[in-house]
Amino acid sequence: MNFQPHLERLRLLYPVRRQVAAAVFFMALGVGVQLLLPKGIAYFIDHVNELNLASISWPVVGLGLGWIAVQVVASTLRYYYFERSGHLIINGIRRRLFDVLINQPVSFFDRHHVGEISSRLSSDVQSLHQALAMGGANALQSLCMFGGGVTMLLTISPALSLMLLVLVPANLYFGKVSGANYRDYAKLVQTSMADSNRVAQEQFTHVRLVHAYNQQAGASASYAEASRRLLEVALAGVRLQSAFRGGLSVLDYGALLASLVLGAWLIGRHALSVGDLMAFVIYSTMVTQAAAALSEFWNMWMRSMGATERIFEIMRTHQPPAASRPQAPPSGQLGFEDVVFSYPERPGVRALDRVGFVIAAGEKVALVGASGAGKSTIAALVLGHYQPLGGRLMFDGVAASELDLAAVRRGIAVVEQEPSLFSGSIAHNIAFAVPERQVSLAEVMAAAKLAHAHEFIQSFPQGYDTLVGEHGVQLSGGQKQRIAIARALLRDPGILILDEATSALDAASELQVQGALDRLMEGRTTIIIAHRFSTIAKADRILVMDQGRVVQQGSHEQLARQQDGAYFKLVKDQMLALRPEAPLPA
Ligand code: ADP
């Protein structure tokens, strides 16, 4: 048996060991007091004739009240400390898992959908809570009860106890066998759960499109299909659980019947008192119940092992970033040397095929080419989202592999085609550019002014504190873009990556965005994933891409003269699409 996965989970208890110790103390106290009760009852029954009931009634009531008081205090505090430790563990593991997830390379998110990931964070972690806190508490209690009960049984009648000795291992074995099956079911349940969450999240994310195409019924159907699969595996688990419980109760009642029969026989032979048989029956019920609870716990534990297998797998992938000496961010010179790259999800397709170029510091380069030519892939590699399979990237003449990724990224800013804004204030969204230190509002404003965003931000009643996104104002495409530009300006990078917006901005806001962009590009090495002719023409140099290769490069004038070149054809196509009657560029 491989103990590693068990130890891995038990280790989670370490940080909360004090709480767990307190919980175990109160649990042992409770169990000890509980174990006294049948013995007390036996004494009472066997001595009922000798006892002067009228005179002892007060002490009996006093004892009873004391028993209840200890029981109440012990069970309350036991519950409190176990639950508290459970929540502390879960909170810790959730945060650790989030840290690991947010630090995963971008390729991880190509493979895993956001809905799936959030399901891992919520439901998988929850099942660990159940196993560790509630399950663990019950199991420990049962273990104590089991040990104490067996001791009591042996003191009452070793002969009767022998019979139970056969039944109890049967009980435990039963739990072990079904536990192994549980593990597999639980894994399937969590996978199906993650899958149905993924479907739901996707439909809600695209809710506008779903409504626009009257696809609500289709959305419901996909969710119904995903939850049907979840139901199927869950029900298979329930069938197993029911069979397990049925089997256990056969053992329980069998044990009870056998003790009564054998006990009656022993009483007939004066080897046992009536009170002792009574106590024995109660103890044996306690012991079989404790054994049943232990096997049930084993099931729960195995279920949680299955359910949390994925999150532990993910957590094991985490490699703490190598502590490197602080490096200055690159100042602007950038080169690709024979770079070959395929996306991990599509190993057969070369997204970049021996791409080589050098961009001088401060130079503005436009990447043009048909969709799928590899323009965004170049940007993704510059940002270090993926590593090249062959060749290398150079920053200021140093290979990227020699540099600290975080330092490289500190020198780069991105303005996306569809700027991503977080739900939070506008100021927060701009200050996002600088994670290393506290950014003052004055700095945020200065950046916004340069980005031509200050005016419209000021026009909102809440100004820079205006919330954006789901629970705040909805910004227009041009406004979002100017906020993204302000963010990039605040970062003050040596290298800039612009995924140029194709969204049709109205003429006025296009002019403002363009003005802000010009300001942003000043003096910075810029890679523009270009769509608009106006930007292409302004670039110092154009790299024309086709199927992962750089097929042509030069200034607009140079390239436009090569009438058999890819650039000429691209421009011609674009011109024709815009204005069929437009003259071809000379
Ligand atoms: P462009 O930006 O020029 O439109 P891309 O760089 O996005 O082109 O894409 C280049 C190639 O890589 C295309 O064949 C595209 O389908 C593929 N590709 C892009 N992103 C991914 C990804 N995350 N996983 C797998 N393949 C991808």
Side-chain angles (χ1 to χ4, degrees), residues 81-95:
Y81 280 113
F82 268 123
E83 278 297 306
R84 194 181 140 90
S85 343
H87 282 290
L88 289 175
I89 293 173
I90 290 317
N91 189 271
I93 202 171
R94 217 172 243 145
R95 282 175 16 203

Side-chain angles (χ1 to χ4, degrees), residues 106-107 109-110 341-347 349-352 368-380 386 499 529 531 545 547-548:
V106 167
S107 55
F109 298 91
D110 286 344
F341 177 72
S342 300
Y343 282 95
E345 296 308 291
R346 295 179 66 196
V349 180
R350 279 199 171 181
L352 293 184
V368 300
S371 158
K375 306 182 291 290
S376 316
T377 307
I378 293 214
Y386 303 92
D499 196 347
I529 299 175
H531 304 280
M545 300 202 58
Q547 296 183 16

Side-chain angles (χ1 to χ4, degrees), residues 436-563:
E436 298 87 12
R437 60 180 174 89
Q438 192 70 31
V439 178
S440 71
L441 185 60
E443 287 176 274
V444 168
M445 280 187 181
K449 279 183 188 149
L450 287 178
H452 301 289
H454 181 70
E455 240 171 60
F456 82 80
I457 298 173
Q458 285 285 296
S459 74
F460 295 133
Q462 247 98 61
Y464 281 82
D465 292 329
T466 307
L467 297 180
V468 293
E470 261 180 58
H471 302 292
V473 292
Q474 300 296 328
L475 298 173
S476 76
Q479 290 173 332
K480 279 192 201 165
Q481 208 124 41
R482 278 178 278 159
I483 289 181
I485 293 170
R487 181 192 279 169
L489 276 163
L490 182 61
R491 192 164 176 86
D492 191 18
I495 299 171
L496 192 63
I497 296 174
L498 299 181
D499 196 347
E500 196 190 39
T502 43
S503 54
L505 297 174
D506 59 84
S509 62
E510 160 144 18
L511 214 67
Q512 279 173 319
V513 169
Q514 196 53 54
L517 277 176
D518 289 345
R519 187 66 205 242
L520 176 60
M521 290 192 288
E522 259 171 35
R524 303 179 209 277
T525 308
T526 310
I527 300 178
I528 313 162
I529 299 175
H531 304 280
R532 269 180 301 203
F533 194 63
S534 53
T535 357
I536 300 176
K538 268 197 240 167
D540 298 323
R541 189 154 47 115
I542 297 163
L543 299 184
V544 186
M545 300 202 58
D546 186 31
Q547 296 183 16
R549 291 166 198 253
V550 176
V551 289
Q552 233 185 344
Q553 52 176 307
S555 69
H556 167 68
E557 287 73 26
Q558 289 167 345
L559 295 178
R561 274 198 291 274
Q562 301 170 20
Q563 298 216 351

Side-chain angles (χ1 to χ4, degrees), residues 211 319 393 501:
H211 280 235
Q319 288 147 359
L393 267 74

